Amino acid sequence: MAHLFDTIHPNFFSVLSSPNRKTYVDCIFIIYHSIDTIEDAFQGDREFIISRLIDYFDEQPSEEFEDIEEDEPARTSRQKAIHVINVLKKNGWLGEEELGDYKTSLNLFDYSIQLIDLLENIANNRQSEYTGEIFTVYSLLSSFNLEEGIGVLEQAHQKTQDILRKLKSLKANIYRYYYD
């Protein structure tokens, strides 16, 4: 079995456990939505992203943004934006690429994108849809014929496993609601 930290940066989750975690998560969502465009494939202009983060910090109450490892606290919105980008790069959330002509892009890694999607689903309380999955299994099995054979059964089995996993998640969500 592959070790998780062979793929993900070893300090990846430290951003989510730092004293500034709420700010980091907000900034991660801002970066994600800034570069989630059709043409750029999760790649965005560094200065554009910095300007979006500056706007965010301008709207926040004036507090010093201090990281445990830093001696000098970030005071201005620009300093805070650059600090966040540097922390996210250092911990494996972002990569930076020189494009030439004095342009630099920031790129999200594939595992970052997957985790951001998951965090956004949790934050927005989005649930998986089951009806379509159940209908897919029904359609596969109702159109079964001997020529397609085992392939259709394997697809139906996989879809059924997916439904079971989602129903288990639903049960966990119901438990969390009950527990709260």
Side-chain angles (χ1 to χ4, degrees), residues 14-174:
S14 65
V15 169
L16 302 176
S17 63
S18 80
N20 300 316
R21 65 185 168 267
K22 291 179 183 175
T23 302
Y24 287 140
V25 168
D26 287 347
C27 292
I28 287 168
F29 287 150
I30 290 168
I31 293 168
Y32 177 77
H33 291 292
S34 297
I35 63 180
D36 183 17
T37 61
I38 294 171
E39 61 272 354
D40 285 332
F42 292 107
Q43 174 183 17
D45 180 61
R46 186 177 197 274
E47 286 306 313
F48 174 72
I49 292 169
I50 288 174
S51 71
R52 296 286 309 269
L53 293 175
I54 288 171
D55 293 343
Y56 166 76
F57 284 113
D58 284 344
E59 294 172 4
Q60 298 303 309
S62 180
E63 297 176 13
E64 285 188 357
F65 185 70
E66 194 169 347
D67 203 333
I68 296 168
E69 298 177 8
E70 296 283 325
D71 295 335
E72 186 78 19
R75 289 183 171 78
T76 67
S77 294
R78 183 168 184 82
Q79 288 174 332
K80 292 175 184 178
I82 291 171
H83 174 77
V84 165
I85 288 172
N86 289 336
V87 167
L88 294 176
K89 284 182 350 188
K90 177 182 162 193
N91 291 298
W93 285 81
L94 289 173
E96 191 171 76
E97 180 180 9
E98 295 292 328
L99 299 176
D101 295 332
Y102 304 103
K103 290 196 177 237
T104 304
S105 74
L106 295 175
N107 302 297
L108 288 170
F109 295 111
D110 57 341
Y111 55 83
S112 300
I113 294 165
Q114 292 175 13
L115 189 62
I116 294 167
D117 285 338
L118 177 67
L119 292 173
E120 194 167 52
N121 287 342
I122 292 170
N124 295 325
N125 201 21
R126 278 190 235 135
Q127 302 295 323
S128 297
E129 202 241 89
Y130 309 101
T131 311
E133 300 278 341
I134 293 170
F135 183 74
T136 301
V137 171
Y138 170 77
S139 297
L140 283 169
L141 294 176
S142 66
S143 65
F144 177 77
N145 60 40
L146 290 177
E147 290 81 40
E148 294 171 359
I150 192 81
V152 172
L153 292 177
E154 286 175 347
Q155 285 180 344
H157 177 71
Q158 182 60 45
K159 289 290 183 187
T160 303
Q161 293 298 327
D162 292 344
I163 292 168
L164 289 173
R165 181 166 286 122
K166 289 178 180 180
L167 289 173
K168 289 177 187 178
S169 295
L170 176 62
K171 181 190 177 289
N173 291 339
I174 292 169

